[in-house]
């Protein structure tokens, strides 16, 4: 699986190598380009104007036309500086059953971000039988938010783990209240993009009631919209304890009470998508937005590098 890091290390006055930084093939809507840019392959170079070093993840998996080819001139000088751009950070939000988990599966597969779902972390605590899990379940059964003293530490701790720091993250269902957003702001954690799935309430109820989960693969199904591929999978599907019509109504109420406050914090990076369309169509919209964010980020990183090298 790919990740989104294109790490550039630089030390003096030079511009990024044009064959990578300005390659028309590196249109970031190209699945291969981002899925293949990863950690730990190193290319070193210097030009007559300056020196720099590019670290490109999984460079060898790039299509030949996208690979950076150093010229004889670029191979002759020393390496001078180091500057590594930050990985991409995405939040995804929406009412219960709006399709967050479904879209996260697709985003993760294509972009290699670390998927961090607050609901999944809480269900893992419940399954492990911890004290936090026992307390969390009482709130989840009532469709209420689990108290911050449990959720905030849990999510912050996960965000700070090395895989999320190195590969970038996709935060699902968090923050869900002003206090949770404020806790992230205090740590200086902001997303590059805040995806908001917009789905009407009648649709949400039908989605919740028909949702099933595969305990073996973790895949999300729906009896009508995304049915299991075969009888064997169908036989092992499970239903979440809070997926009843009665509980979804409580969950929706909680969502309505908190959503505006959270949106107010991220209004500069919100991307609202109609989530009431087929799964692939919703993903196509998200994919476009993500590609454009990544392209912008790459350009900014390249210009910062160039500025750093000329100053
Ligand atoms: P959580 O697990 O996060 O639940 P949720 O927000 O209610 O969202 P869901 O997981 O139910 O839905 P989803 O949007 O992921 O939809 P999915 O892709 O599965 O939270 C559970 C509880 O934990 C909360 O109620 C709260 O108590 C607690 N909690 C969580 N986060 C917390 C926080 N930050 N603070 C405090 N407490 C917290 O899709 C649903 C169904 O629809 C599936 O069957 C799918 O196949 C289908 N589907 C998806 N997209 C489409 C489509 N486009 N067309 C047709 N069908 C579709």
């Amino acid at each position: 699986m790919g990740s989104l890091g294109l790490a550039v290390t630089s030390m003096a006055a030079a511009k990024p190598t044009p064959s990578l930084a300005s390659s028309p093939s590196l249109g970031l809507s190209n699945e291969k380009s981002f899925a293949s840019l990863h950690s730990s392959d190193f290319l070193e170079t210097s030009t007559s104007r300056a020196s720099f070093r590019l670290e490109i993840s999984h460079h060898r998996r790039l299509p030949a036309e996208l690979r950076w080819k150093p010229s004889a001139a670029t191979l002759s000088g020393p390496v001078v500086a180091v500057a590594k751009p930050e990985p991409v950070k995405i939040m995804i939000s929406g009412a219960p059953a709006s399709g967050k988990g479904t879209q996260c599966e697709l985003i993760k597969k294509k972009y290699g971000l670390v998927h961090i779902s607050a609901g999944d972390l809480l269900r893992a605590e419940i399954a492990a039988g911890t004290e936090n899990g026992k307390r969390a379940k009482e709130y989840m059964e009532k469709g209420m938010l689990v108290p911050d003293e449990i959720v905030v530490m849990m999510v912050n701790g996960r965000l700070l783990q090395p895989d999320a720091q190195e590969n970038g993250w996709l935060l699902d269902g968090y923050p869900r209240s002003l206090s949770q957003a404020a806790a992230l702001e205090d740590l200086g954690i902001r997303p590059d993009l805040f995806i908001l799935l917009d789905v009407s309430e009648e649709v949400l109820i039908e989605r919740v009631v028909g949702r099933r989960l595969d305990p073996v693969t973790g895949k999300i199904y729906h009896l009508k919209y995304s049915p299991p591929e075969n009888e064997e999978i169908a036989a092992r599907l499970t239903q979440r304890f809070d997926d009843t019509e009665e509980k979804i109504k409580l969950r929706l109420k909680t969502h309505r009470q908190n959503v505006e406050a959270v949106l107010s914090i991220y209004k500069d990076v919100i991307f609202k998508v109609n989530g009431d369309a087929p799964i692939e169509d919703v993903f196509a919209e998200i994919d476009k937005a993500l590609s454009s964010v990544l392209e912008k980020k790459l350009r900014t990183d390249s210009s910062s590098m160039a500025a750093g090298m000329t100053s």
Side-chain angles (χ1 to χ4, degrees):
M1 181 178 296
S3 81
L4 299 174
L6 166 61
V8 180
T9 30
S10 64
M11 287 221 266
K15 291 199 168 158
T17 185
S19 58
L20 177 68
S22 61
S23 165
S25 316
L26 202 61
L28 299 177
S29 54
N30 176 333
E31 175 159 352
K32 279 190 181 156
S33 57
F34 264 113
S36 352
L37 292 173
H38 224 296
S39 61
S40 75
D41 284 343
F42 290 86
L43 301 172
E44 295 191 9
T45 181
S46 79
T47 66
S48 54
R49 297 177 57 207
S51 305
F52 60 90
R53 173 173 153 192
L54 293 171
E55 174 194 339
I56 301 172
S57 301
H58 292 188
H59 172 256
R60 290 187 201 97
R61 296 199 335 232
L62 283 169
E65 72 276 12
L66 284 179
R67 285 187 199 161
W68 179 77
K69 298 175 194 73
S71 65
T74 62
L75 289 169
S76 59
V79 170
V80 229
V82 176
K84 193 165 181 169
E86 284 202 356
V88 171
K89 294 160 284 181
I90 306 294
M91 289 177 182
I92 185 161
S93 163
S98 54
K100 301 182 292 294
T102 302
Q103 293 302 322
C104 285
E105 282 179 1
L106 298 169
I107 297 168
K108 182 177 151 190
K109 190 169 167 204
K110 176 160 181 180
Y111 292 96
L113 297 173
V114 175
H115 176 205
I116 301 173
S117 155
D120 287 350
L121 291 176
L122 289 167
R123 281 183 286 277
E125 292 286 327
I126 295 172
T130 64
E131 274 314 306
N132 277 345
K134 282 177 197 151
R135 271 194 74 203
K137 193 170 183 195
E138 289 169 24
Y139 289 86
M140 292 165 80
E141 280 180 330
K142 293 180 195 145
M144 293 164 67
L145 292 185
V146 173
D148 283 357
E149 72 241 31
I150 297 176
V151 185
V152 170
M153 291 283 284
M154 191 184 72
V155 175
N156 287 352
R158 183 65 191 90
L159 283 171
L160 296 173
Q161 282 180 17
D163 60 339
Q165 291 291 301
E166 282 160 23
N167 301 316
W169 42 256
L170 174 60
L171 190 51
D172 167 2
Y174 191 95
R176 263 184 225 226
S177 65
L178 193 55
S179 57
Q180 291 175 5
L184 289 177
E185 294 282 299
D186 285 349
L187 291 175
I189 298 175
R190 278 188 76 76
D192 297 300
L193 188 70
F194 184 99
I195 301 166
L196 174 64
L197 295 175
D198 187 28
V199 181
S200 65
E201 294 205 355
E202 315 80 77
V203 173
L204 294 172
I205 293 171
E206 192 195 5
R207 283 194 190 173
V208 154
V209 175
R211 170 167 49 194
R212 298 292 182 276
L213 303 169
D214 183 344
V216 176
T217 62
K219 191 170 171 192
I220 304 165
Y221 290 95
H222 190 281
L223 296 178
K224 182 171 165 192
Y225 301 115
S226 186
E229 294 86 351
N230 56 50
E231 281 303 314
E232 188 189 345
I233 297 173
R236 67 184 185 222
L237 295 182
T238 59
Q239 198 171 10
R240 261 169 53 176
F241 66 84
D242 54 352
D243 271 357
T244 62
E245 191 163 344
E246 180 208 350
K247 285 186 179 140
I248 179 73
K249 286 183 177 157
L250 299 171
R251 286 157 63 194
L252 281 169
K253 188 170 164 218
T254 303
H255 171 74
R256 282 195 294 267
Q257 285 165 345
N258 292 287
V259 64
E260 289 305 327
V262 174
L263 296 184
S264 70
I265 303 280
Y266 300 112
K267 50 180 181 270
D268 54 327
V269 283
I270 289 177
F271 175 67
K272 189 169 171 179
V273 194
N274 172 22
D276 197 357
I279 292 170
E280 320 74 67
D281 295 1
V282 178
F283 180 64
E285 289 300 306
I286 292 176
D287 194 18
K288 264 192 266 167
L290 264 175
S291 296
S292 137
V293 163
L294 293 166
E295 190 168 8
K296 195 169 151 207
K297 199 170 169 66
L298 188 61
R299 276 206 215 101
T300 310
D301 290 339
S302 299
S303 355
S304 309
M305 183 185 77
M309 284 188 269
T310 50
S311 60

